[in-house]
Amino acid sequence: MALDDPKTLVSTDWLAAHLRDPDLRILDASWFMPGSDRDAKAGYAGAHIPGARFFDIDEISDTRSPLPHMAPPPEKFISRMRAMGVGDGHQVVIYDQTGVFSAPRVWWLFRLMGKTDVAVLDGGLPKWQAEGREIEDLPPYVRDRHITVQRQAGLVRDVTQVAHASKLRDHEIVDARGHARFTGEQAEPRPGLRAGHIPNSKNLPFGELQNADGTMKSPEEIRAAFEAAGVDLGKPVITSCGSGISAAILALGLEMIGHRAWSLYDGSWAEWGMYNDLKVATGEA
């Protein structure tokens, strides 16, 4: 896969060259961990890539669920995208204020809704600004745009499906959290959750797929990282993490290496760690 693939990952050079394309839509999908002193909306208001709209991951979600930012019903996604002027025929590029952290979550959400002309900006806003590229602090002019969706149920897994996969071992479950959280040595940042991991899952911290500057590693390096984590790429893969954000980084990596049989556990550890009737493993995988 070439770096500039408008269905997965594009460079800052690619975005700069296409910035004025009439059918390009740019989304700032920044999100920060609970307890962080960073405010994603304030960051967007202060500086964003020209024309970018802010995608609020917590609001554009299933707010009826007790779990954080679960995927919204298609009707809500349609409503929010129309209001943001994002619709059929658009090439969407998603970035975040960290580098590549929360943007892949929204890339996955578009994929879940059947939209494939969507890419993550490699290196995100930090790389864009480090290169001295144009930014603005004005809200974009937005016109309502029709959008159709077709939910791709195969790209998401619920707790029952993950429990079956854990027991049968017919999928690889890969956890993107840091190693100490995976082994249970570090407490979870969300109160009330047990520490540890899903039985028979593997650990591949999302940072292992990234370079020091926050860009994604090459497909060859990403494949090697999955293999080094003991992941059998001959099996379908379910990605997981704390609340379904960084799991999407692993999903993006799988797509980059051409491994199409992947899905994301939307509830992730925020759900699994909450239910005492679900088994929890600790220590090494």
Side-chain angles (χ1 to χ4, degrees):
M1 187 209 77
L3 172 63
D4 288 324
D5 179 355
K7 295 183 184 299
T8 50
L9 190 74
V10 295
S11 66
T12 50
D13 285 341
W14 186 97
L15 183 57
H18 292 271
L19 196 59
R20 308 301 177 196
D21 288 3
D23 284 329
L24 178 74
R25 293 293 180 270
I26 306 170
L27 303 179
D28 181 329
S30 299
W31 179 90
F32 299 109
M33 288 288 291
S36 165
D37 59 358
R38 296 189 66 179
D39 183 324
K41 287 182 184 176
Y44 165 80
H48 53 260
I49 295 173
R53 288 96 158 121
F54 183 73
F55 189 107
D56 188 334
I57 286 175
D58 286 327
E59 197 284 321
I60 307 175
S61 69
D62 184 358
T63 48
R64 301 165 302 178
S65 172
L67 297 168
H69 44 251
M70 295 286 281
E75 313 82 64
K76 184 173 185 178
F77 182 81
I78 289 170
S79 170
R80 297 298 188 270
M81 291 307 97
R82 287 190 65 163
M84 290 167 65
V86 178
D88 295 340
H90 283 151
Q91 169 67 50
V92 178
V93 173
I94 306 162
Y95 73 88
D96 60 59
Q97 298 162 30
T98 303
V100 177
F101 178 58
S102 53
R105 167 71 187 190
V106 177
W107 169 85
W108 167 78
L109 185 55
F110 271 84
R111 285 294 190 98
L112 180 65
M113 298 298 173
K115 313 307 283 186
T116 58
D117 292 328
V118 54
V120 170
L121 178 64
D122 200 18
L125 187 64
K127 188 170 190 291
W128 182 269
Q129 289 186 294
E131 294 167 349
R133 300 186 188 273
E134 184 181 356
I135 58 169
E136 64 183 18
D137 58 6
L138 301 172
Y141 171 70
V142 174
R143 294 175 60 186
D144 192 293
R145 178 76 172 246
H146 178 72
I147 185 169
T148 53
V149 307
Q150 187 170 7
R151 192 173 184 273
Q152 306 297 305
L155 293 182
V156 66
R157 292 289 179 267
D158 63 24
V159 65
T160 302
Q161 292 168 316
V162 175
H164 280 301
S166 170
K167 183 177 181 180
L168 298 175
R169 301 192 187 194
D170 55 352
H171 290 65
E172 290 281 42
I173 303 170
V174 189
D175 190 325
R177 293 176 300 158
H179 188 66
R181 286 174 67 188
F182 179 83
T183 61
E185 297 168 83
Q186 179 182 333
E188 285 297 302
R190 289 181 176 80
L193 296 184
R194 297 169 296 165
H197 59 268
I198 299 168
N200 300 318
S201 61
K202 308 286 174 61
N203 185 212
L204 179 54
F206 70 87
E208 298 293 317
L209 303 191
Q210 299 178 341
N211 298 306
D213 65 354
T215 57
M216 295 292 286
K217 290 183 175 178
S218 70
E220 295 76 22
E221 291 171 308
I222 289 172
R223 179 178 292 277
F226 274 99
E227 292 173 348
V231 177
D232 179 358
L233 292 172
K235 292 182 179 180
V237 176
I238 299 171
T239 66
S240 180
C241 61
S243 66
I245 297 286
S246 59
I249 301 172
L250 300 188
L252 179 67
L254 289 165
E255 191 72 17
M256 287 173 64
I257 66 174
H259 186 87
R260 304 283 184 252
W262 60 263
S263 54
L264 184 147
Y265 174 25
D266 200 9
S268 282
W269 196 253
E271 181 175 39
W272 191 280
M274 183 172 59
Y275 292 115
N276 289 326
D277 57 338
L278 294 171
K279 291 181 179 179
V280 167
T282 55
E284 301 295 331

